[in-house]
Amino acid sequence: AQSVSQHNHHVILSEAASLELGCNYSYGGTVNLFWYVQYPGQHLQLLLKYFSGDPLVKGIKGFEAEFIKSKFSFNLRKPSVQWSDTAEYFCAVPWGANAGNNRKLIWGLGTSLAVNP
Amino acid sequence: NAGVMQNPRHLVRRRGQEARLRCSPMKGHSHVYWYRQLPEEGLKFMVYLQKENIIDESGMPKERFSAEFPKEGPSILRIQQVVRGDSAAYFCASSPQETGTSGDNEQFFGPGTRLTVL
């Protein structure tokens, strides 16, 4: 079965610092990969996703993630964080029984990011 | 286009009572997922439904929990005879029926229902 691990549970940064959040998955076949974000008081929303092609994926708000198949990794990066990036970040992998392009998501535990102004 | 709606947002039950959580997917979405987030834990999949069908219920506890997504109306997650360990945030998500070549469809999330069992 698939599992997802996120290595950093709590991260504190100052504005303008660079960010990298780790995500690893266990099953080595063809995968789709997602990063979701939950800002304080808001719903979970998609930040970016990888499904094929260019392993460097660009998302919203200046975020990007790199899929490295040999390392089973999909790390999230941002060159310069802002106070407004304070949020919970979740890595997720679709898995299991499907109906078309729809499957359940297997989640990492999440990373709580606090950016100090 | 309204997002995924969940109600109630907060639900308090005493041990042994029943809890009913409702989820209305985004307009045009026919796939619904339920996830649970226990305190200090990540999101865990519970069940995935398409209209009138359960596609994957591998994350549902074997007893007391059931889910449905009828042809008309919202999806319902029902917990019978609640216990303190059921206290959690329950999130619903929905996705469209698109079957293109862009990989798995994005899931859109509701605000969650926070269940507290006294």
Side-chain angles (χ1 to χ4, degrees):
Chain A
Q2 182 67 271
S3 66
V4 179
S5 59
Q6 291 182 240
H7 318 297
N8 321 96
H9 297 300
H10 299 279
V11 174
I12 301 173
L13 295 173
S14 298
E15 277 195 317
S18 64
L19 170 72
E20 181 160 1
L21 301 181
C23 171
N24 287 88
Y25 59 94
S26 60
Y27 175 69
T30 301
V31 289
N32 289 190
L33 295 150
F34 292 83
W35 275 97
Y36 275 81
V37 62
Q38 187 172 29
Y39 297 103
Q42 295 189 26
H43 306 184
L44 275 160
Q45 60 184 279
L46 184 68
L47 204 52
L48 49 78
K49 82 172 191 182
Y50 169 82
F51 65 96
S52 70
D54 189 346
L56 187 61
V57 180
K58 303 283 187 184
I60 61 172
K61 303 187 179 185
F63 285 89
E64 64 180 29
E66 185 175 13
F67 169 56
I68 303 179
K69 189 172 183 178
S70 61
K71 294 185 178 181
F72 298 80
S73 70
F74 189 54
N75 291 357
L76 182 71
R77 300 194 295 245
K78 186 170 184 179
S80 176
V81 295
Q82 301 172 306
W83 177 78
S84 58
D85 293 324
T86 295
E88 293 264 355
Y89 293 82
F90 295 91
C91 183
V93 179
W95 188 252
N98 67 332
N101 287 13
N102 295 288
R103 292 181 286 179
K104 69 189 177 194
L105 293 175
I106 306 299
W107 298 82
L109 286 178
T111 298
S112 175
L113 171 66
V115 180
N116 296 322
Chain B
N1 188 4
V4 177
M5 309 288 284
Q6 289 188 249
N7 67 81
R9 294 289 305 275
H10 300 275
L11 182 62
V12 179
R13 286 288 178 265
R14 296 191 181 280
R15 281 180 295 170
Q17 291 184 318
E18 179 179 285
R20 280 184 182 243
L21 287 61
R22 293 175 181 76
C23 170
S24 296
M26 284 181 69
K27 187 176 181 181
H29 287 191
S30 57
H31 300 261
V32 165
Y33 314 79
W34 286 94
Y35 297 92
R36 176 166 67 172
Q37 186 174 33
L38 293 165
E40 304 303 319
E41 294 188 21
L43 284 153
K44 302 286 187 190
F45 167 76
M46 299 183 76
V47 62
Y48 162 27
L49 310 104
Q50 200 176 5
K51 285 282 188 181
E52 299 183 281
N53 288 309
I54 294 177
I55 306 297
D56 185 345
E57 56 181 346
S58 56
M60 285 282 268
K62 293 289 185 284
E63 297 176 347
R64 303 187 297 108
F65 286 72
S66 62
E68 63 176 11
F69 187 19
K71 188 176 180 181
E72 301 291 336
S75 176
I76 307 286
L77 179 68
R78 182 183 178 206
I79 312 172
Q80 295 178 288
Q81 299 176 318
V82 296
V83 301
R84 289 220 174 103
D86 297 332
S87 295
Y90 291 81
F91 292 94
C92 170
S94 72
S95 64
Q97 182 54 49
E98 291 160 20
T99 55
T101 57
S102 60
D104 284 78
N105 292 323
E106 175 183 354
Q107 294 182 19
F108 294 81
F109 282 80
T113 294
R114 298 200 176 274
L115 172 65
T116 301
V117 180
L118 302 177

